[in-house]
Amino acid sequence: LSQFTCVLSDAFTISFLSFFFFNDTATTEIYTLSLHDALPILILTLVYVLATISILLVMAKSNRLTRKSLEQTENLEKSRLRPYLSVYLKIVKRGGTENSSGLPYGYLFLKNSGLSQALNISIEMKPQLYSEPHMGGEKIKKIPYFVEHKTHYLAPNGCISDDIGFLASYYERFDPPVFKGLIQYCDANDSKYKEDFTIDLEVMKNAVPYIND
């Protein structure tokens, strides 16, 4: 009896639910109407989400471009304000007489053409450039001071120099007389820089790179 009562109760429940959800005309109309109303809302929501995503992507790309532009501007400003060192040679004529205009005599220059100070400057050269002047009756080996020693400070547009002697001896001691060098230095923000340079006396041999003494 108990089992029969449970079966009868379950059957009644199923019949009631079936009648309520599937046989009630008003309920079916309300359900259909709800779907009909929800479809435009769903479409509008989807359009809104897609539009929002598109706007966010455009904004992200714009932000990246702006950031890249700012970084480029900052790098250009740093490049404009940085120190810039170079090593070069100038030649004069010395030891002239009434019948002779003199012999080529060289001066090596280190110049800062930049707009900020250069610090902790060191120079390497291969082969090492040096002169052999006589001092106290003896020949000595003389390397330009700022090549042999570190220069701690060089102001904007600052320039230091040292003589390298008569050039004729270089053609005798070096074959070819070509000297390659590297300048290493930093600025006040400890940004480090390197500059290559070449002193080619072979090219100057047939040129006229003289300045007034």
Side-chain angles (χ1 to χ4, degrees), residues 4-209:
F4 176 78
T5 304
C6 289
V7 171
L8 184 60
S9 176
D10 292 342
F12 176 78
T13 302
I14 293 172
S15 299
F16 174 77
L17 291 174
S18 299
F19 174 78
F20 182 80
F21 285 105
F22 299 105
N23 295 331
D24 191 328
T25 306
T27 303
T28 305
E29 290 178 354
I30 292 173
Y31 181 70
T32 306
L33 184 61
S34 298
L35 287 177
H36 183 269
D37 292 340
L39 187 59
I41 297 174
L42 180 62
I43 294 174
L44 289 174
T45 302
L46 182 60
V47 170
Y48 174 78
V49 170
L50 293 176
T52 302
I53 293 173
S54 300
I55 292 171
L56 290 175
L57 290 175
V58 170
M59 290 177 64
K61 184 176 181 180
S62 177
N63 289 336
R64 286 197 300 270
L65 292 174
T66 301
R67 186 163 54 251
K68 184 176 181 180
S69 178
L70 289 174
E71 290 174 353
Q72 289 177 342
T73 301
E74 185 179 354
N75 290 335
L76 286 173
E77 186 66 8
K78 286 182 179 179
S79 298
R80 188 180 71 84
L81 296 176
R82 58 159 286 191
Y84 184 79
L85 300 186
S86 59
V87 171
Y88 59 94
L89 180 68
K90 285 187 177 182
I91 302 173
V92 300
K93 288 185 176 181
R94 291 186 60 176
T97 63
E98 293 181 359
N99 300 322
S100 174
S101 60
L103 298 174
Y105 192 91
Y107 288 89
L108 199 65
F109 286 79
L110 172 64
K111 184 174 182 178
N112 181 6
S113 303
L115 297 179
S116 60
Q117 61 189 3
L119 306 173
N120 300 323
I121 307 161
S122 61
I123 299 175
E124 300 174 4
M125 296 188 73
K126 292 182 180 180
Q128 184 63 267
L129 185 148
Y130 65 91
S131 59
E132 293 182 328
H134 287 81
M135 184 174 292
E138 296 183 358
K139 184 183 292 187
I140 63 171
K141 181 179 180 180
K142 178 180 177 294
I143 300 172
Y145 187 84
F146 56 83
V147 175
E148 186 176 16
H149 302 90
K150 180 177 288 189
T151 303
H152 296 288
Y153 173 85
L154 190 59
N157 293 318
C159 187
I160 56 178
S161 65
D162 199 359
D163 69 283
I164 63 169
F166 289 103
L167 300 189
S169 62
Y170 288 91
Y171 298 107
E172 298 171 0
R173 290 186 282 116
F174 298 96
D175 185 22
V178 178
F179 306 89
K180 296 183 179 296
L182 175 67
I183 315 170
Q184 300 184 73
Y185 56 101
C186 65
D187 60 17
N189 297 319
D190 203 33
S191 296
K192 293 177 172 54
Y193 306 95
K194 294 181 180 181
E195 315 293 348
D196 296 313
F197 67 92
T198 300
I199 303 296
D200 191 342
L201 298 181
E202 188 66 28
V203 172
M204 295 182 179
K205 188 175 184 179
N206 299 318
V208 190

